[in-house]
């Protein structure tokens, strides 16, 4: 398999899932500004949507959209418990979390990274994200992870969103529960391995998100 990614982008989520599941994949870096792969190829030729992540299966099949990709990865190794069994209420709860993260958090962050976004609109988006974080914090009270004591693909996705806060001026100190959760996820060996591979931290750096 090949995982097309951009360092620190939302593709960090399936990268974490891949490592947590113990699956092997070749990482192919994509420049999201030029839409070129690391070997100079046209990424649009692979994914007309133009964005990462994209998963190329061994048979050449291409799979896009992060929440779908991470569930595919989880189902490749059920023993990893990255996703509950299909058809169970727990699986639907996982999908509920993935849908919430992608629609209520991920999409609000996008304009915050754009230099053309008006400052007033950015502040409005930060306020909206803050309200969503208020709710997520209540859901994490007394839990290690979103689904309880078990790390799932939803945690890798939420962790990626929390990682973005430091780049857009959102201080997680406002939510001690989220801050502790972020540190807990960052301390997982496979999460750290993904951060190192993408150049987001350096070898020997203290555990941090």
């Amino acid at each position: 398999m090949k995982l097309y990614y951009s360092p620190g982008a939302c593709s960090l989520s399936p990268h974490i899932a891949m490592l947590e599941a113990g699956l092997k994949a070749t990482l192919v870096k994509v420049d999201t500004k030029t839409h070129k792969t690391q070997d100079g190829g046209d990424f649009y030729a692979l994914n007309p949507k133009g964005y990462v992540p994209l998963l190329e299966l061994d048979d050449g099949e291409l799979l896009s959209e992060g929440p779908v990709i991470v569930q595919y990865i989880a189902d490749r190794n059920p023993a990893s418990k990255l996703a509950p069994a299909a058809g169970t209420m727990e699986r639907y709860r996982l999908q509920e979390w993935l849908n919430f993260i992608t629609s209520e958090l991920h999409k609000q962050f996008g304009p915050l990274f754009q230099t053309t976004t008006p400052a007033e609109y950015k502040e409005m988006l930060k306020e909206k994200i803050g309200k969503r974080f208020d709710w997520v914090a209540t859901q994490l009270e007394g839990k290690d992870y979103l689904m309880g004591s078990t790390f799932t693909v939803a945690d890798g996705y939420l962790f990626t969103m929390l990682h973005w806060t430091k780049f857009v001026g959102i201080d997680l100190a406002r939510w001690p529960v989220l801050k502790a959760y972020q540190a807990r996820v960052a301390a997982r060996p496979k999460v750290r391995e993904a951060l190192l591979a993408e150049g987001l931290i350096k070898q020997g750096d203290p555990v941090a998100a």
Side-chain angles (χ1 to χ4, degrees):
M1 290 188 290
K2 292 181 181 178
L3 177 63
Y4 292 84
Y5 81 106
S6 182
C10 55
S11 48
L12 176 61
S13 169
H15 188 180
I16 290 171
M18 192 75 67
L19 292 172
E20 290 278 357
L23 302 179
K24 293 186 180 297
T26 300
L27 294 177
V28 181
K29 188 186 293 186
V30 176
D31 187 321
T32 54
K33 292 182 179 179
T34 64
H35 301 283
K36 297 289 186 182
T37 58
Q38 60 193 37
D39 62 0
D42 180 12
F43 185 58
Y44 276 123
L46 290 168
N47 184 10
K49 297 173 185 175
Y51 53 75
V52 294
L54 181 71
L55 187 66
E56 183 177 343
L57 309 185
D58 292 338
D59 63 2
E61 190 92 17
L62 297 170
L63 194 60
S64 63
E65 302 303 328
V68 174
I69 291 173
V70 295
Q71 290 183 80
Y72 173 83
I73 291 169
D75 288 338
R76 287 288 302 270
N77 182 11
S80 67
K81 298 183 179 180
L82 289 171
T88 63
M89 182 52 68
E90 289 79 10
R91 182 57 170 258
Y92 296 124
R93 292 299 183 194
L94 175 73
Q95 292 172 337
E96 189 175 33
W97 271 116
L98 290 172
N99 192 70
F100 172 82
I101 296 167
T102 200
S103 62
E104 297 299 321
L105 293 177
H106 189 169
K107 284 306 177 185
Q108 312 307 323
F109 270 99
L112 295 178
F113 287 100
Q114 302 298 322
T115 58
T116 55
T117 303
E120 185 176 330
Y121 183 50
K122 285 187 177 183
E123 290 308 310
M124 186 173 71
L125 288 173
K126 290 179 187 179
E127 183 178 350
K128 186 173 183 179
I129 291 170
K131 289 179 179 178
R132 298 295 184 261
F133 280 173
D134 288 342
W135 181 78
V136 174
T138 66
Q139 301 305 300
L140 277 169
E141 287 283 357
K143 296 179 183 177
D144 289 333
Y145 303 110
L146 291 173
M147 299 285 288
S149 59
T150 303
F151 179 91
T152 69
V153 291
D155 294 295
Y157 197 7
L158 178 58
F159 174 79
T160 300
M161 299 298 102
L162 297 179
H163 180 74
W164 287 356
T165 58
K166 61 185 178 182
F167 302 112
V168 298
I170 297 176
D171 188 357
L172 281 182
R174 174 178 160 187
W175 302 276
V177 170
L178 296 186
K179 188 73 174 174
Y181 167 84
Q182 182 190 37
R184 187 159 53 250
V185 175
R188 294 181 65 84
K190 296 303 181 181
V191 173
R192 185 174 178 82
E193 185 177 338
L195 294 172
L196 282 166
E198 297 196 12
L200 303 176
I201 60 173
K202 296 179 180 178
Q203 194 71 48
D205 282 352
V207 172

